[in-house]
Amino acid sequence: MMKKKSLARSFLAIGSVCCLVATPGSGQEVYSSIIGAVSMTAPAGSDLYLTPSFNNSAVFRSDVTSAAAGSVTFSGASFDVDAYAGGHHLLVEEGTLAGRIFEITANTATSLTISDPDSELAAAADQLASIIPALTLGEMFPNGLGGKVEANPGNPDLILFSNDNSAGVEGFAPESIYYYGDIAKNESDEIVSQPGWRKVGAPLWESHDSAVLPVGEGFVVRNNSGMDASFFLFGEVMVSQVQIPISSKSAGSTDNLVGVPRPLAIAIGDMGLDSVVSLTTAPDAVKDTVRIYPADAGKNPSPSVVYCLYSDGWRAVENGAVVTTGDVLDGALVPAASAVVIRKVATTEDEVVYWTNTWSLPSQS
């Protein structure tokens, strides 16, 4: 049976996040939908490490009837053919794959073709899953960053980097660079002024408003100007668990720029990272680390703090060694909407493991 969401909503404020919360309708099973916004500021002349804190609302949710590597079927569905091909994700909400997000590449009236590199999708059979429109640059930042339209595409003031987590290197490896510019072409192939997202290296008039922001990946906003830029992240709060891929390479240490789609700060001890980072047992033999970056320390900043999972809990790392004095730092907060770098030491072979982050809204009592 298809499971539907109520449309009745009431207002609720949680900390610094303003939310709309679904209230139960009459005579139907209800999934609460919480809409929120987080205010962000990119300081002048600095890099801001961030991750989108929200999702788009699901457009379909039901139990998977059958699943195999690369496909799932929903009995009783009636999709328009290829309506979800590109720009949509499948979120598995139950079972061993709960929190895994897959790209939809095609669909029939009842089935979805899925990008499934690890061929694990068969485990989604009989589990609840939903179709979610992917977040795009144009949706997340409809008016650019801080309302800035770049007049000089050769040296934009505000740019957004996406990260290539597959690069297998220690350090940030940009995959794509975007800015909000105003050059376009009309139907007569004439150059006109039309603000929208542009991609460095692509024709100036190409719009990249539909560029997808992958869930769980981090981004860097670089503010080259002399003024702070303020903007909002907005969308549906994802209260289900989420699984995020973390890469390691045999060739050397690998930096993963990642973030969880949560609207509130999370204690590092509550993030579930112990499942994907190696335990450090000797103070002078640090293994995997988690690096938090400041928001106002210029471009290409050094991390403000480095953590590792030590024998007795999370501890700071200074000058390549564990700080073993004082209390453990399990309660240290990772700021809301911030991306972090998980640096994996070299492994015997290239591999991807999935970090499962489980989270719930704090009690309001």
Side-chain angles (χ1 to χ4, degrees), residues 8-31:
R9 298 177 185 270
S10 60
F11 182 81
L12 175 65
I14 300 178
S16 61
V17 182
C18 295
C19 302
L20 295 175
V21 182
T23 54
S26 176
Q28 65 175 337
E29 186 169 356
V30 172
Y31 284 82

Side-chain angles (χ1 to χ4, degrees), residues 13-226:
I14 300 178
S16 61
V17 182
C18 295
C19 302
L20 295 175
V21 182
T23 54
S26 176
Q28 65 175 337
E29 186 169 356
V30 172
Y31 284 82
S32 296
S33 179
I34 305 171
I35 308 299
V38 174
S39 176
M40 305 292 295
T41 297
S46 295
D47 286 351
L48 175 67
Y49 285 62
L50 66 84
T51 189
S53 300
F54 305 101
N55 255 10
N56 277 322
S57 298
V59 295
F60 176 85
R61 178 181 276 117
S62 186
D63 291 327
V64 174
T65 305
S66 62
S71 67
V72 297
T73 298
F74 298 93
S75 292
S78 182
F79 306 137
D80 292 334
V81 174
D82 284 343
Y84 306 122
H88 287 79
H89 295 139
L90 177 77
L91 169 65
V92 181
E93 300 187 31
E94 297 176 334
T96 59
L97 295 181
R100 286 281 291 276
I101 296 174
F102 300 87
E103 179 187 0
I104 301 172
T105 59
N107 71 268
T108 67
T110 59
S111 65
L112 309 175
T113 301
I114 304 295
S115 177
D116 179 18
D118 300 318
S119 300
E120 297 179 303
L121 199 56
D126 301 320
Q127 307 299 328
L128 182 67
S130 55
I131 297 174
I132 300 175
L135 283 174
T136 65
L137 278 176
E139 290 174 331
M140 183 58 67
F141 309 107
N143 299 307
L145 293 164
K148 175 72 173 179
V149 180
E150 304 292 353
N152 181 8
N155 185 28
D157 287 337
L158 291 166
I159 52 180
L160 188 146
F161 296 81
S162 64
N163 187 41
D164 183 3
N165 285 339
S166 67
V169 296
E170 187 176 292
F172 185 73
E175 182 178 36
S176 301
I177 303 174
Y178 301 95
Y179 65 94
Y180 196 74
D182 65 351
I183 298 175
K185 280 188 174 181
N186 62 17
E187 62 276 4
S188 301
D189 209 33
E190 299 170 327
I191 301 295
V192 296
S193 176
Q194 182 176 319
W197 282 98
R198 314 295 183 218
K199 183 178 180 179
V200 172
L204 296 176
W205 49 84
E206 281 187 5
S207 172
H208 290 268
D209 287 359
S210 59
V212 169
L213 304 178
V215 175
E217 286 194 12
F219 302 89
V220 175
V221 174
R222 172 164 292 176
N223 187 348
N224 289 318
S225 74

